[in-house]
């Protein structure tokens, strides 16, 4: 197989090296194309652009494969703890027992947030969206750790910022939920494991002992793992590009949270539930909503369906669907919304419109149903996605930083006015 490709333009031939990934993925290295031919590549929304080489996550969208550092998402979701997966993403290998215990202890030592953070929370109006709060709290962290602002600091300082982020994000997320409920904060209890500690801070009360339900704990652990990383998606690319200007990690993650908030990305999990509730309120006519999604004059889309990369079943959705059945069964929840979701999935999958476009349910289709059964308010769903995605964002940022990648800066094809003289007031009519 050739390791060069030729691009012929007028009388010029550009020989582009072919870059090969460890799973056989091929890419054209066009970094010198403009210098040789004057051409840039044109690829709106980067649908066919590899922005980096990366050794963190592998996806084969045609086959429905997702692996982190070589381990399948199925193996990780069924066997690992979220903290183990975070370690894997951040350090590149699964921890041995000693490494894991040390890591869990290190994270435990940093779960508290500064007491002054409470004052920032007080400023949010009641009812403000949890994603807006999380984004603000994340940027605010840079104010509490000014040492993190220096892009040339020593490696140990970077490690400490990463540790703080993994340790304190569950505390911040729980604070957002408590603010929403109008309940007093529950502080971290460091004898608990990572996920149980989060559930205790979220659902526990200061007035009484709270025993973490193992069913909830296992479901939460799985959901966090399923969201932990997804290679160069919109929010990860945002984190990388913001970080490429040597902006600090808190600011980069805050930008990632902003990107995740949108309904085309992580915000879809909230929209799926709202859509299912709307269908139920409208009398449960699933076909009507499928027809609307197919109508090109109607902006409505089936939320939780379709994916930029997966042109096969999203492997995360398969795992979540099974988990939703288990959790609802164990919690003895008979949710009519789940029945509607199943009917919608069956009808859409049988419809040629969705089959031809390879539109399958994605990770967000079922996650909301589990979150709802667990007792989370619907506008907290995307915040939970962000909590799970934290190690992935950090791993992507750190890979970019350690490779010394230059500032990210795409080109454009300008289509505006060509040069014209500056008119006087009279000439403007
Ligand atoms: N409902 C109806 N039609 C759809 C849908 C949908 N959910 N998704 C895509 N299509 C159609 C689209 O209209 C287009 O049709 P045509 O070829 O006739 O013009 C075709 O499928 C290709 O769609 P696209 O918009 O070019 O695909 P994309 O890769 O730009 O968008 C997407 C991917 C996820 C933004 C899109 O499928 C979508 O809006 N889905 C609903 C929102 C959603 O569930 N987002 C969560 C994504 S997974 C979680 C994450 O990792 O963020």
């Amino acid at each position: 197989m050739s390791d060069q490709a030729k691009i012929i333009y007028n009388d010029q031939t550009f020989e582009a090296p072919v870059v090969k990934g460890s799973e056989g993925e091929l890419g054209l290295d066009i970094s010198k194309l403009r210098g040789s031919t004057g051409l840039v590549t044109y690829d709106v929304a980067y649908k066919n652009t590899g922005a980096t080489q990366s050794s963190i996550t592998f996806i084969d969208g045609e086959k429905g494969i997702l692996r982190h550092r070589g381990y399948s998402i199925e193996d990780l979701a069924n066997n690992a703890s979220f903290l183990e997966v975070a370690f894997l993403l951040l350090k590149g290998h699964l921890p041995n027992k000693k490494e894991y215990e040390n890591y869990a202890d290190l994270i435990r030592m940093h779960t508290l947030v500064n007491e002054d953070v409470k004052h920032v929370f007080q400023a949010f109006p009641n009812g403000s969206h949890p994603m807006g709060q999380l984004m603000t709290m994340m940027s605010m962290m840079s104010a509490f750790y000014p040492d993190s602002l220096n892009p040339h600091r020593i490696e140990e300082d970077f490690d400490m910022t990463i540790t703080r982020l993994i340790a304190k994000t569950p505390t911040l997320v729980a604070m957002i939920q408590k603010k929403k409920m109008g309940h007093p904060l529950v502080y971290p209890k460091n004898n608990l494991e990572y996920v149980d500690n989060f559930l205790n801070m979220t659902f526990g009360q200061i007035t009484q002992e709270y025993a973490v339900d193992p069913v909830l704990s296992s479901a939460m652990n799985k959901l966090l793992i399923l969201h932990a990383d997804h290679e160069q998606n919109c929010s990860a690319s945002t984190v990388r590009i913001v970080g490429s200007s040597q902006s600090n990690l808190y600011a980069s993650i805050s930008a990632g949270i902003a990107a995740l908030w949108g309904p085309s990305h992580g915000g879809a999990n909230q929209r799926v539930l709202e859509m299912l509730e709307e269908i139920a309120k409208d009398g449960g006519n699933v076909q009507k909503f499928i027809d609307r999604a197919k109508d090109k004059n109607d902006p409505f889309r089936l939320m939780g369906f379709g994916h930029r990369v997966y042109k096969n079943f999203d492997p995360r959705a398969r795992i979540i669907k099974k988990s939703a059945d288990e959790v609802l069964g164990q919690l003895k929840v008979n949710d009519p919304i789940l029945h509607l979701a199943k009917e919608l999935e069956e009808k859409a999958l049988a419809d040629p419109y969705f089959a031809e476009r390879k539109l399958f349910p994605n990770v967000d289709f079922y996650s909301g149903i589990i979150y709802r059964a667990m007792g989370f308010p619907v506008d907290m769903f995307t915040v939970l996605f962000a909590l799970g995605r934290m190690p992935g964002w950090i791993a992507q940022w750190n890979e970019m930083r350690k490779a010394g990648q230059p500032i990210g800066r795409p080109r454009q094809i300008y289509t505006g006015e060509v040069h014209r003289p500056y008119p006087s007031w009279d000439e403007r009519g």
Side-chain angles (χ1 to χ4, degrees), residues 47 264-265 296 301-302 304-305 308 353 357 362 364:
K47 288 196 176 194
S264 296
H265 192 8
K296 294 288 166 204
R301 283 188 166 199
L302 272 197
F305 264 78
R308 171 62 60 79
Y353 173 96
R357 290 168 181 76
N362 58 48
D364 293 323

Side-chain angles (χ1 to χ4, degrees), residues 137-151:
M137 299 319 280
M138 199 48 70
S139 332
M140 178 221 55
M141 295 273 279
S142 61
F144 285 90
Y145 301 103
D147 50 327
S148 72
L149 303 182
N150 172 10

Side-chain angles (χ1 to χ4, degrees), residues 7-289:
I7 296 174
I8 299 167
Y9 177 66
N10 291 336
D11 54 354
Q12 293 164 320
T13 299
F14 174 71
E15 299 217 341
V18 172
V19 186
K20 192 170 177 188
S22 53
E23 289 278 356
E25 286 178 306
L26 299 175
L28 280 189
D29 177 353
I30 50 78
S31 50
K32 299 203 165 57
L33 178 70
R34 188 167 175 275
S36 306
T37 63
L39 295 171
V40 297
T41 53
Y42 176 59
D43 179 23
V44 174
Y46 314 120
K47 288 196 176 194
N48 195 36
T49 294
T52 187
Q53 297 193 22
S54 179
S55 60
I56 303 169
T57 291
F58 171 70
I59 299 177
D60 183 329
E62 275 70 35
K63 295 192 184 132
I65 292 173
L66 168 61
R67 294 186 202 127
H68 298 312
R69 307 275 190 197
Y71 299 104
S72 77
I73 192 64
E74 290 80 8
D75 278 348
L76 293 172
N78 290 329
N79 299 301
S81 73
F82 175 64
L83 213 50
E84 239 178 295
V85 174
F87 185 103
L88 173 71
L89 290 168
L90 294 167
K91 314 241 183 218
H93 66 275
L94 279 172
N96 61 31
K97 216 156 179 35
K98 190 88 212 121
E99 283 174 318
Y100 184 71
E101 282 163 10
N102 289 344
Y103 190 59
D105 282 348
L106 176 70
I107 295 298
R108 261 190 261 274
M109 273 168 60
H110 293 276
T111 49
L112 275 176
V113 296
N114 191 300
E115 277 296 285
D116 286 341
V117 166
K118 284 195 212 165
H119 304 306
V120 184
F121 266 108
Q122 275 162 13
F124 292 127
N126 281 337
S128 63
H129 197 284
M131 279 299 271
Q133 292 185 34
L134 185 66
M135 203 166 72
T136 311
M137 299 319 280
M138 199 48 70
S139 332
M140 178 221 55
M141 295 273 279
S142 61
F144 285 90
Y145 301 103
D147 50 327
S148 72
L149 303 182
N150 172 10
H152 304 296
R153 59 199 196 274
I154 55 165
E155 206 53 38
E156 285 73 23
D157 287 342
F158 284 110
D159 285 346
M160 181 47 70
T161 304
I162 292 171
T163 299
R164 283 186 180 128
L165 267 170
I166 298 289
K168 294 180 198 307
T169 306
T171 314
L172 289 175
V173 170
M175 287 171 93
I176 293 172
Q177 169 130 334
K178 287 295 185 200
K179 155 109 190 161
K180 192 174 168 59
M181 315 296 279
H183 290 173
L185 297 179
V186 174
Y187 282 77
K189 248 179 150 179
N190 287 344
N191 57 326
L192 295 175
E193 294 296 326
Y194 190 85
V195 171
D196 290 1
N197 204 358
F198 170 63
L199 291 174
N200 183 56
M201 287 188 285
T202 311
F203 294 116
Q205 302 287 347
I206 54 166
T207 45
Q208 63 196 57
E209 241 347 90
Y210 171 78
V212 177
D213 182 333
V215 177
L216 296 198
S217 171
S218 149
M220 191 71 227
N221 182 58
K222 203 170 269 193
L223 282 158
L224 293 177
I225 291 174
L226 292 176
H227 288 91
D229 190 49
H230 214 230
E231 53 118 306
Q232 308 311 314
N233 57 82
C234 176
S235 55
S237 302
T238 302
V239 169
R240 286 182 87 122
I241 208 159
V242 172
S244 76
S245 75
Q246 303 195 15
S247 187
N248 69 79
L249 181 54
Y250 297 116
S252 307
I253 298 286
S254 179
I257 294 169
L260 188 76
W261 192 354
S264 296
H265 192 8
N269 59 11
Q270 174 177 344
R271 292 294 180 89
V272 169
L273 233 283
E274 288 167 352
M275 173 187 75
L276 292 170
E277 279 167 351
E278 195 190 334
I279 299 175
K281 226 163 94 196
D282 193 58
N285 185 349
V286 164
Q287 191 57 47
K288 179 174 157 192
F289 285 81

